[in-house]
């Protein structure tokens, strides 16, 4: 959970960084990402409130007021604000007060004279707010890093389950169900688990959601999934050879990906160009004559969205910042051999990095 002090500091930094400043002494915000980042307002998706949110009113003096309806889940009670207004909508005894969206809007703006929401597309100030918050989110605060660590510990439990239990005859959906259950048990609560649970025969299928496809001996199964807790998410990968030891060709792809991961790690530090990270990863494959089978980014930023800045791509223009949380994910997809991707998550520090994910990367 994000802390009260962390949210307060982010709200103050937002006001200090807004340029030009708003033409009022408060901001009205409704974007779910902004409400989570600035106030720890998170609507548990495993609830009837999923898809609904609230309004956050931020004053220049740091005061935060939250408005939401009375049918949202308990997760919203953990919001870090100074004032809260809970709007009656539906009691279960009398009919609801019209469409759910209007119940809250009428409370915020009873005169119906055109309510400004400063981060809503169409508002003249929205671009300023959205860009400013996005820039701030690059450099993660300690409470954000703590929540990301929790996501990663839970994801590691899912990867460990797969290495122990995957076998021929299972379907991709069976693997997903097992990983999902392991993550839920590790988290002690329902969590979102999404990503790639896919047999990759080569470039024709580099990932994808789980299907009813049955795993066969020798298949290369890519497990690239994220665990979402409180809106934040992990994202790391292992690839398994199903049911037997890898062939020499499969082992070569693995060894090259490990070398590429190591080469990328050597470039991870504040003020290093993101393009340099990409080039370090790709150069390993280029020297092996396999760069044409590395078709995607070498990694990306991670946090409340996926992916997010910075991006390790061929045309990158960004520079790494202390506080960035990023992934490295080299992959190769070779016809007749199979597809492989491995991935770790990292916190960028002034002199290098801290690896945040600790799952075992191995083909067996």
């Amino acid at each position: 959970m994000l802390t009260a002090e962390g949210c307060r500091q982010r709200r103050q930094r937002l006001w200090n960084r807004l340029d030009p400043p708003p033409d009022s002494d408060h901001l009205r915000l409704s974007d779910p990402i902004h409400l989570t980042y600035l106030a720890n307002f998170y609507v548990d998706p495993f609830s009837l409130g999923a898809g609904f949110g609230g309004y956050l009113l931020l004053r220049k003096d740091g005061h935060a007021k939250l408005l939401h309806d009375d049918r949202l889940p308990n997760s919203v009670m953990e919001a870090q604000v100074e004032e809260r207004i809970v709007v009656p909508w539906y009691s279960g005894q009398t009919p609801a007060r019209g469409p759910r969206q209007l119940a809250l809007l009428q409370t915020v703006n009873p005169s119906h004279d055109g309510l400004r929401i400063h981060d809503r597309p169409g508002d003249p100030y929205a671009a300023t707010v959205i860009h400013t918050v996005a820039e701030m989110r690059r450099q993660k605060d300690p409470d954000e890093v703590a929540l990301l660590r929790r996501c990663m510990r839970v994801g590691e439990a899912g990867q460990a389950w797969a290495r122990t239990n995957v076998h021929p005859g299972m379907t991709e959906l069976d693997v997903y169900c097992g990983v999902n259950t392991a993550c839920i048990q590790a988290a002690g609560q329902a969590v979102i688990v999404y990503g790639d649970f896919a047999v990759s025969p080569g470039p024709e299928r580099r990932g994808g959601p789980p299907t009813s496809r049955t795993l066969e001996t020798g298949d290369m199964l890519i497990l690239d999934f994220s665990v979402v807790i409180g809106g934040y998410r992990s994202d790391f990968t292992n690839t398994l050879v199903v049911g037997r030891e890898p062939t020499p060709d499969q082992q070569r792809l693995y060894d090259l990906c490990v070398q590429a991961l190591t080469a990328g790690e050597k470039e991870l530090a504040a003020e290093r160009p993101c393009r340099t990270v990409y080039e370090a990863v790709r150069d390993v494959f280029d020297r092996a004559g396999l760069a044409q089978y590395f078709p995607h980014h070498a990694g990306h930023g991670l946090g409340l969205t996926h992916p997010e800045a910075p991006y390790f791509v061929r045309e990158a223009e960004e520079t790494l910042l202390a506080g960035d949380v990023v992934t490295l994910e080299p992959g190769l997809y070779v016809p007749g051999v199979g597809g492989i991707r491995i991935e770790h998550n990292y916190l960028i520090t002034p002199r290098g990095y801290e690896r945040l994910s600790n799952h075992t990367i191995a083909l067996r």
Side-chain angles (χ1 to χ4, degrees):
M1 182 175 72
L2 300 181
T3 65
E5 180 62 16
C7 290
R8 187 194 64 78
Q9 290 183 5
R10 286 186 287 275
R11 294 194 293 264
Q12 189 60 60
R13 289 203 304 270
L14 173 61
W15 273 106
N16 292 340
R17 293 180 61 160
L18 287 170
D19 184 21
D23 57 6
S24 64
D25 63 355
H26 68 280
L27 291 173
R28 294 192 187 103
L29 306 177
S30 65
D31 187 303
I33 291 174
H34 297 166
L35 269 60
T36 300
Y37 180 66
L38 297 168
N40 194 51
F41 177 81
Y42 179 69
V43 180
D44 184 350
F46 299 97
S47 73
L48 56 78
F52 291 88
Y55 293 102
L56 186 64
L57 280 62
L58 303 182
R59 294 195 319 226
K60 282 185 177 180
D61 63 5
H63 183 276
K65 179 191 293 186
L66 176 66
L67 294 88
H68 62 80
D69 72 49
D70 60 351
R71 297 291 285 186
L72 291 184
N74 290 337
S75 62
V76 305
M77 301 311 295
E78 297 180 349
Q80 307 287 11
V81 294
E82 285 73 37
E83 184 179 354
R84 182 193 303 264
I85 297 178
V86 180
V87 177
W89 171 62
Y90 179 52
S91 67
Q93 302 297 318
T94 57
R97 293 174 51 194
R100 188 171 186 175
Q101 300 93 324
L102 285 180
L104 188 58
L105 185 62
Q106 289 169 348
T107 299
V108 179
N109 186 37
S111 64
H112 303 285
D113 59 355
L115 178 68
R116 284 194 63 183
I117 304 298
H118 293 95
D119 62 354
R120 179 178 292 167
D123 187 275
Y125 200 61
T128 299
V129 174
I130 292 169
H131 283 303
T132 303
V133 174
E135 290 172 355
M136 288 174 55
R137 289 199 301 109
R138 282 279 305 271
Q139 296 176 280
K140 304 299 188 290
D141 289 321
D143 59 340
E144 295 180 277
V145 175
L147 188 49
L148 286 165
R149 290 183 195 275
R150 185 180 175 210
C151 295
M152 291 171 201
R153 300 295 82 77
V154 173
E156 289 161 6
Q159 292 282 1
W161 181 93
R163 291 190 67 243
T164 300
N165 292 283
V166 165
H167 58 80
M170 300 177 77
T171 67
E172 293 173 347
L173 281 167
D174 291 333
V175 176
Y176 171 77
C177 289
V179 168
N180 188 61
T181 298
C183 290
I184 289 171
Q185 290 175 336
Q189 66 181 78
V191 295
I192 293 174
V193 179
Y194 69 86
D196 297 323
F197 297 80
V199 171
S200 176
E204 64 269 33
R205 190 177 189 225
R206 306 199 310 261
T211 71
S212 58
R213 177 172 181 157
T214 299
L215 307 186
E216 299 180 3
T217 300
D219 278 344
M220 298 190 79
L221 175 65
I222 295 176
L223 297 170
D224 181 359
F225 60 87
S226 298
V227 174
V228 184
I229 301 176
Y232 286 76
R233 62 209 64 212
S234 58
D235 175 31
F236 46 82
T237 314
N238 189 36
T239 300
L240 296 173
V241 173
V242 178
R244 62 158 169 75
E245 295 300 314
T247 66
D249 285 340
Q250 290 172 332
Q251 185 66 46
R252 181 178 181 236
L253 298 189
Y254 169 81
D255 292 340
L256 286 170
C257 283
V258 171
Q259 293 172 30
L261 190 76
T262 301
E265 288 177 342
K266 292 178 180 178
E267 301 299 328
L268 294 180
E271 307 306 323
R272 298 304 297 271
C274 291
R275 184 180 301 179
T276 301
V277 180
Y278 172 83
E279 291 171 347
V281 171
R282 185 178 179 85
D283 182 63
V284 172
F285 300 145
D286 194 33
R287 286 186 281 109
L290 294 176
Q292 69 270 34
Y293 300 119
F294 173 53
H296 52 68
H297 55 221
H300 54 80
L302 191 65
L304 276 167
T305 57
H306 172 203
E308 63 184 36
Y311 302 95
F312 300 142
V313 293
R314 186 193 307 270
E315 299 179 5
E317 297 179 349
E318 297 160 312
T319 298
L320 284 169
L321 303 174
D324 273 328
V325 173
V326 300
T327 77
L328 286 176
E329 54 176 322
L332 290 167
Y333 315 88
V334 180
V337 180
I340 179 173
R341 186 163 63 254
I342 61 175
E343 182 179 22
H344 269 305
N345 300 164
Y346 308 84
L347 171 65
I348 303 302
T349 65
R351 297 185 179 182
Y353 66 86
E354 177 190 350
R355 198 181 77 190
L356 299 177
S357 56
N358 297 301
H359 68 301
T360 298
I361 290 180
L363 291 176
R364 292 289 293 146

